[in-house]
Amino acid sequence: MKFGWAHSCCSASALERALSDDGVRNIETDIIMSSQTDDVPVMAHPPSTHSDFSFEDFMTRAAGTSKGLKLDFKDRAAVRPCLERVAQDRLKLAWSGQSVWLNADVLAGPGMTPDAVSIDPNEFISQCQHLYPEGILSLGWKVDLGRTGLCYTAAHCAEMRELLTRHGLVDQRSIGPGGGGGDGFTLSPAA
């Protein structure tokens, strides 16, 4: 069984390549709010602040295919409108057997302070549970990629476990290493 990932599919051409590649089983994309168009989630990875590829366009092309989707939220304002849009395709996603990973860096990791985290962990989990509970939560730590020699500590893991426990996720779902090349915990939907 193949589990290949296409990372950072933030353009129509990158998405089309991933959709046509039989070796790709899962597509990861990054989501921000456009700096040029109010209230429009677009596909881009910071430091980019705009893209001509909207989340609407992404979902129109990707929903209903055989590829799993990993939505990597980089901007808290993009979470609600994107989850509402994914929920519109609930039946299409279920019918095609597509998994949808809901990813965000919600805690400060090695080399970072809590003020560097732009997505509130409680708000993110609550919105995911309420708007698209079928999604697979993929929660991570924001880390300083520019510094070497940094390690996760027991305190990082304890903070994540406390967050998961607070939201009732530890006993209800399986927890494992983050998928799709990211750091974090992955929470599968309850069986």
Side-chain angles (χ1 to χ4, degrees):
M1 183 178 276
K2 295 180 182 179
F3 291 101
W5 285 86
H7 290 278
S8 198
C9 291
C10 295
S11 68
S13 60
L15 177 60
E16 293 306 321
R17 279 192 305 275
L19 290 171
S20 64
D21 185 337
D22 291 338
V24 172
R25 300 303 305 147
N26 299 285
I27 298 170
E28 184 268 346
T29 190
D30 304 293
I31 308 165
I32 63 170
M33 291 301 278
S34 174
S35 64
Q36 297 179 1
T37 311
D38 289 339
D39 301 324
V40 176
V42 295
M43 318 318 286
H45 190 287
S48 294
T49 61
H50 183 68
S51 169
D52 60 0
F53 191 40
S54 71
F55 185 72
E56 176 66 34
D57 292 339
F58 176 87
M59 286 301 295
T60 298
R61 291 180 172 144
T65 68
S66 62
K67 314 284 184 172
L69 306 176
K70 182 179 179 188
L71 309 178
D72 191 349
F73 293 96
K74 303 297 187 184
D75 185 332
R76 84 186 281 173
V79 175
R80 177 172 286 282
C82 290
L83 291 175
E84 289 171 346
R85 175 60 181 88
V86 171
Q88 290 175 12
D89 281 333
R90 178 177 272 118
L91 293 177
K92 185 187 294 187
L93 293 163
W95 181 258
S96 64
Q98 279 181 280
S99 58
V100 179
W101 301 57
L102 306 172
N103 176 256
D105 293 335
V106 297
L107 296 176
M112 301 303 281
T113 59
D115 62 319
V117 179
S118 63
I119 296 181
D120 178 86
N122 299 302
E123 181 180 332
F124 182 73
I125 292 170
S126 294
Q127 287 183 347
C128 291
Q129 289 177 324
H130 177 70
L131 296 170
Y132 195 70
E134 302 93 327
I136 301 167
L137 287 176
S138 176
L139 307 174
W141 292 269
K142 186 166 182 83
V143 299
D144 184 348
L145 297 176
R147 294 174 50 196
T148 59
L150 298 176
C151 298
Y152 289 99
T153 65
H156 291 124
C157 294
E159 184 180 18
M160 183 66 78
R161 182 160 182 88
E162 190 279 322
L163 174 67
L164 300 175
T165 300
R166 183 170 57 247
H167 287 276
L169 298 173
V170 173
D171 294 330
Q172 295 178 16
R173 302 177 183 207
S174 60
I175 301 173
D183 292 328
F185 285 94
T186 299
L187 307 169
S188 299

